[in-house]
């Protein structure tokens, strides 16, 4: 009876091994197979102990029969998971499936099977006889800190000084306005940089603002005067008469300006001419580029040569008088002389004549 029981236990163990293989267990044996076999073996040991002296002989025979019965059943011996190894943390090392790569365990235990699809790293290129190249930082790895940005303050001072000087000139006053505006702008930029800690020339910024402001204000005033002068210059003003009048008489212009010419021959063959201009227009007038010329009547020799003289001023204020004096060289035999006078600016030419022989009863056409 005991032999039959051992045969039944061996058959049940073989059946469990076959079922675990069909289920795909990599260990090949269910986790409880060893424990069941041990329990069966324990039960047989108790039976052998109760049987008495016949137990050892019977156990040997039973073991042989059990082994023969297992071989007869066609069961293949497979490794069974043993007890847990204390050095490996209590886990059981299971054998890998056939054809699976093994990786050495980092803690010195048995090899560990690799995951499916994992590939071993390939060796890199040969570093050469001098080993791997050292790391070299790029050209922009470190940027030195920038210094103070004081250029705008310097530019503000320079532009302010130049603009202030040019603002007191009439012709260059528009340029002074532009330079003054730039000086104020650079000064404001400098103050903002000083507030952010990027510059250190706060005084230069303030100086540029003040100088630029003066240049802009004075330049605007001078520019207005320049425009007025330009309008007066390009707006022609005609005399009340286009005919020539005798020397010593006065010709008035449409805006109230009055011009008087007086001519007298002198010793040495000279002719002295005085031109008197009185401003009765009620405003400042422009007399720039005044011109006086004299030529003999009925002669083809051209204008008389001017030896000396000083012209009229550039401008003439209201209710003011200006006098210009000219000296001409008389040609031999000159009888009558006609004078062509332009006070300057927008004023057109007016005409006078002088009879050097003392005949005043005839007036040239």
């Amino acid at each position: 009876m005991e032999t039959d029981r051992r045969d039944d236990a061996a058959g049940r163990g073989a059946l469990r091994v076959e079922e675990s293989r069909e289920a795909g267990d990599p260990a090949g044996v269910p986790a409880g197979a060893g424990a069941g076999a041990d329990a069966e073996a324990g039960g047989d040991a108790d039976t052998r102990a109760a049987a008495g002296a016949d137990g050892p002989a019977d156990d040997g025979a039973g073991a042989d029969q059990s082994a023969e019965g297992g071989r007869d059943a066609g069961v293949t011996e497979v490794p069974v998971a043993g007890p847990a190894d204390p050095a490996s943390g209590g886990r059981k090392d299971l054998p890998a499936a056939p054809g699976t790569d093994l990786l050495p365990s980092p803690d010195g235990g048995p090899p560990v099977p690799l995951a499916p699809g994992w590939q071993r790293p390939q060796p890199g290129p040969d570093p050469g006889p001098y080993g791997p190249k050292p790391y070299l930082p790029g050209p922009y790895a470190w940027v030195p800190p920038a210094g103070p940005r004081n250029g705008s303050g310097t530019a503000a001072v320079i532009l302010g000084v130049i603009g202030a000087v040019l603002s007191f000139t009439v012709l260059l006053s528009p340029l002074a306005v532009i330079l003054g505006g730039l000086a104020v702008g650079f000064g404001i930029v400098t103050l903002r940089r000083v507030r952010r800690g990027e510059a250190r020339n706060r005084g230069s910024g303030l100086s540029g603002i003040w100088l630029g402001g003066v240049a802009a204000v004075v330049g605007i005033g001078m520019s207005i005067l320049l425009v007025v002068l330009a309008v007066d210059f390009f707006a022609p003003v005609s005399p009340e008469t286009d005919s020539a009048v005798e020397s010593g008489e006065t010709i008035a212009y449409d805006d109230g300006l009055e011009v008087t010419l007086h001519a007298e021959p002198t010793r040495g063959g000279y002719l002295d001419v005085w031109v008197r201009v009185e401003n009765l227009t009620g405003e400042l007038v422009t007399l720039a580029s005044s011109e006086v010329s004299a030529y003999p009547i009925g002669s083809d020799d051209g204008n008389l040569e001017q030896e000396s003289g000083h012209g009229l001023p550039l401008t003439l204020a209201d209710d003011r008088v200006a006098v210009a004096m000219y000296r001409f060289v008389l040609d031999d035999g000159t009888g009558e002389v006609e004078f062509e006078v332009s006070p300057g600016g927008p004023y057109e030419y007016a005409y006078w004549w002088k009879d050097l022989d003392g005949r005043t009863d005839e007036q040239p056409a």
Side-chain angles (χ1 to χ4, degrees):
M1 180 180 298
E2 293 177 359
T3 301
D4 296 337
R5 291 175 60 184
R6 286 194 296 270
D7 294 340
D8 293 339
R12 287 195 298 272
L15 181 59
R16 291 191 187 98
V17 172
E18 292 293 335
E19 291 175 353
S20 66
R21 286 186 175 181
E22 293 176 359
D25 188 355
V29 179
D38 292 341
E40 293 286 340
D44 294 342
D46 295 339
T47 304
R48 287 195 301 271
D54 296 337
D58 296 335
D59 288 342
D64 295 339
Q65 293 176 1
S66 176
E68 292 176 358
R71 287 192 294 271
D72 295 341
V75 178
T76 304
E77 295 181 0
V78 296
V80 181
D85 185 4
S88 61
R91 72 175 187 275
K92 295 180 180 180
D93 296 326
L94 302 179
T100 304
D101 241 346
L102 298 179
L103 186 67
S105 178
D107 55 3
V112 180
L114 302 178
W118 186 86
Q119 297 180 356
R120 290 182 180 273
Q122 300 297 327
D126 187 7
Y130 300 102
K133 295 181 179 180
Y135 171 75
L136 298 177
Y140 304 101
W142 178 81
V143 178
R149 303 170 62 185
N150 297 332
S152 59
T154 304
V157 173
I158 295 175
L159 294 175
V161 171
I162 297 176
V165 172
L166 296 180
S167 63
F168 292 95
T169 61
V170 178
L171 296 179
L172 299 178
S173 56
L175 180 60
V177 175
I178 297 175
L179 296 180
L182 291 176
V184 172
F186 279 113
I188 295 174
V189 171
T190 301
L191 295 183
R192 291 181 177 177
R193 289 180 178 177
V194 171
R195 191 179 300 113
R196 295 194 300 263
E198 300 177 358
R200 301 175 183 175
N201 54 347
R202 184 173 183 271
S204 299
L206 292 176
S207 301
I209 292 175
W210 282 106
L211 291 173
V214 171
V217 172
V218 177
I220 290 174
M222 289 294 184
S223 298
I224 295 175
L225 176 60
L226 179 63
V227 171
V228 172
L229 296 178
V231 170
D232 291 341
F233 182 80
F234 290 104
V237 180
S238 302
E240 294 180 354
T241 178
D242 294 334
S243 303
V245 298
E246 188 178 358
S247 172
E249 295 186 7
T250 301
I251 296 178
Y253 283 81
D254 295 339
D255 61 349
L257 186 72
E258 295 183 353
V259 180
T260 304
L261 183 141
H262 182 74
E264 287 293 337
T266 60
R267 293 180 180 180
Y270 295 107
L271 180 64
D272 292 341
V273 178
W274 293 268
V275 177
R276 181 180 183 274
V277 179
E278 184 177 2
N279 183 10
L280 300 178
T281 61
E283 59 184 10
L284 179 70
V285 296
T286 303
L287 300 180
S289 303
S290 60
E291 183 179 356
V292 176
S293 59
Y295 54 92
I297 299 176
S299 175
D300 298 332
D301 295 337
N303 296 342
L304 297 178
E305 179 184 356
Q306 181 178 340
E307 185 184 55
S308 62
H310 62 275
L312 295 171
L314 297 179
T315 58
L316 184 63
D318 181 38
D319 202 19
R320 294 288 181 174
V321 176
V323 178
M325 184 268 175
Y326 305 91
R327 171 167 287 185
F328 296 91
V329 178
L330 287 175
D331 297 334
D332 295 339
T334 302
E336 294 179 343
V337 179
E338 185 170 348
F339 302 95
E340 189 177 65
V341 178
S342 172
Y347 296 97
E348 296 182 348
Y349 287 95
Y351 303 95
W352 286 262
W353 64 278
K354 173 69 175 178
D355 186 2
L356 300 180
D357 295 336
R359 296 171 303 189
T360 59
D361 54 346
E362 295 182 4
Q363 180 177 352

